[in-house]
Amino acid sequence: MLDICIIGHISLDKIVTPQSVAFKPGGTSVYMAKALLHSGLTYKLVTALSFREHQFVDDLRAEGIEVDAVPSPHTVYFENIYSFDQDHRVQRVEQKALPFRVANLPPIDAKIVHLGPLLYDDIPTKLIEKLSKKSLISLDAQGYLRHVRQKKVVYQDWADKKKVLPFVHTLKANEYEMNVLTGQKDAREGARYLADLGVQEVIITLGSKGSLIYKDGTFYPIMAAQPTAVVDATGCGDTYMAGYLWRRLQGSSIEEAGEFGSILAALKISSSGPFSGSPALISSLLNQEV
């Protein structure tokens, strides 16, 4: 049995910041898979993309990451536009990939399945129900709130949330997504709302203000680790979740796991692209926690 299976599309990302314009593979799938590379965990990525972009899969496999790729006529293509405030972005979708289905998914046997939908119809409800019978479900809520109107990403509430969230063990949403999903502006009230729907561990990321984790009636405020520079915020939430699940699987407390996720996210935002810490850096970070 694997420790983690990540399910999500690899995307073509155009990232526009005040400093630069860059093109690179992205999506929850890439940012989490890269962040876990030196974790010592056993994991694999299940994704879907066009044969034209299969080099992205080849590159991940060359780094030692196990990948199952489902064929799709197109690869998701996102444009992410940031101002100087990296907590916010404008997104456009130039093309979509095929959604995941029960019928086209390879066999999955993992302690945790982390779902990283990029758009609302990527992963259907019945697939989550099926996966939850064998694995704990970890979910990034953002994709279920994203709809595409004239190529622009717009956010709206998740119609099936009350049906699906009882199957979800760990849920992550940022502050804005929490507001769309719950109608609450206060992170504590939003976390309570999601827990009342059945989620066991609720994580609300608050950007530069840190994060808040809620479980069994207890709140765990996590301070944001300070980056050396703010270069590229794309994938920070995914990197945080990689660190969080990594440490929880290794037996760390909620606070320890949240703090480790925060450290990885701060390191990631300090440079462009996915977190790429060396084994020596990872060892140093883990030793600092002890």
Side-chain angles (χ1 to χ4, degrees):
M1 175 178 281
L2 297 171
D3 290 312
I4 300 179
C5 177
I6 305 160
I7 300 177
H9 292 102
I10 294 176
S11 63
L12 281 165
D13 282 357
K14 178 182 180 182
I15 300 171
V16 181
T17 71
Q19 296 84 13
S20 65
V21 176
F23 295 86
K24 59 192 68 177
T28 292
S29 55
V30 168
Y31 286 99
M32 283 200 72
K34 290 265 197 174
L36 291 170
L37 188 56
H38 302 302
S39 65
L41 300 176
T42 57
Y43 69 99
K44 78 173 178 178
L45 165 62
V46 176
T47 192
L49 77 172
S50 165
F51 182 77
R52 292 186 298 276
E53 281 76 47
H54 210 273
Q55 183 62 45
F56 297 157
V57 171
D58 295 338
D59 291 344
L60 291 171
R61 287 173 176 162
E63 292 187 69
I65 297 169
E66 182 181 350
V67 185
D68 285 343
V70 178
S72 170
H74 301 288
T75 299
V76 185
Y77 180 10
F78 271 94
E79 182 179 59
N80 299 310
I81 305 169
Y82 292 94
S83 65
F84 284 100
D85 179 1
Q86 292 268 316
D87 284 348
H88 302 283
R89 66 185 169 189
V90 174
Q91 289 186 304
R92 289 174 55 82
V93 176
E94 298 297 329
Q95 61 188 26
K96 294 174 60 175
L98 284 180
F100 297 99
R101 295 283 185 255
V102 172
N104 69 6
L105 220 60
I108 293 171
D109 187 18
K111 296 173 186 174
I112 295 176
V113 173
H114 181 77
L115 305 175
L118 298 178
L119 296 167
Y120 77 98
D121 56 353
D122 282 355
I123 301 174
T125 297
K126 66 179 181 180
L127 179 54
I128 298 177
E129 290 185 43
K130 176 180 172 65
L131 293 169
S132 71
K133 293 176 181 177
K134 291 182 61 179
S135 308
L136 294 180
I137 301 298
S138 171
L139 172 66
D140 191 317
Q142 66 175 355
Y144 286 108
L145 309 179
R146 286 174 171 170
H147 294 250
V148 181
R149 303 284 185 268
Q150 296 180 333
K151 295 190 175 182
K152 185 176 180 180
V153 174
V154 296
Y155 281 74
Q156 64 186 61
D157 195 8
W158 181 12
D160 289 337
K161 64 186 178 187
K162 292 183 179 179
K163 180 179 180 181
V164 178
L165 289 181
F167 299 105
V168 175
H169 180 273
T170 305
L171 177 78
K172 181 193 80 70
N174 66 26
E175 196 169 13
Y176 175 70
E177 293 158 358
M178 175 211 70
N179 175 245
V180 175
L181 194 56
T182 70
Q184 303 294 327
K185 292 187 177 180
D186 180 79
R188 290 180 178 242
E189 292 305 314
R192 284 195 187 97
Y193 177 98
L194 294 166
D196 287 345
L197 293 182
V199 180
Q200 294 186 45
E201 294 184 12
V202 179
I203 300 171
I204 309 297
T205 58
L206 306 169
S208 56
K209 295 177 288 183
S211 57
L212 182 71
I213 304 172
Y214 183 62
K215 180 178 174 64
D216 295 335
T218 301
F219 290 100
Y220 302 88
I222 307 296
M223 294 288 291
Q226 296 304 308
T228 55
V230 178
V231 176
D232 175 14
T234 304
C236 276
D238 303 318
T239 306
Y240 177 105
M241 278 304 291
Y244 182 81
L245 296 176
W246 170 348
R247 297 303 282 145
R248 288 295 277 159
L249 276 163
Q250 293 178 337
S252 293
S253 69
I254 285 175
E255 288 173 302
E256 290 169 336
E259 288 166 0
F260 187 69
S262 179
I263 291 169
L264 293 194
L267 290 168
K268 184 265 155 291
I269 202 174
S270 300
S271 61
S272 184
F275 173 74
S276 57
S278 66
L281 174 60
I282 297 301
S283 178
S284 173
L285 293 175
L286 295 175
N287 288 334
Q288 286 174 23
E289 287 192 308
V290 176

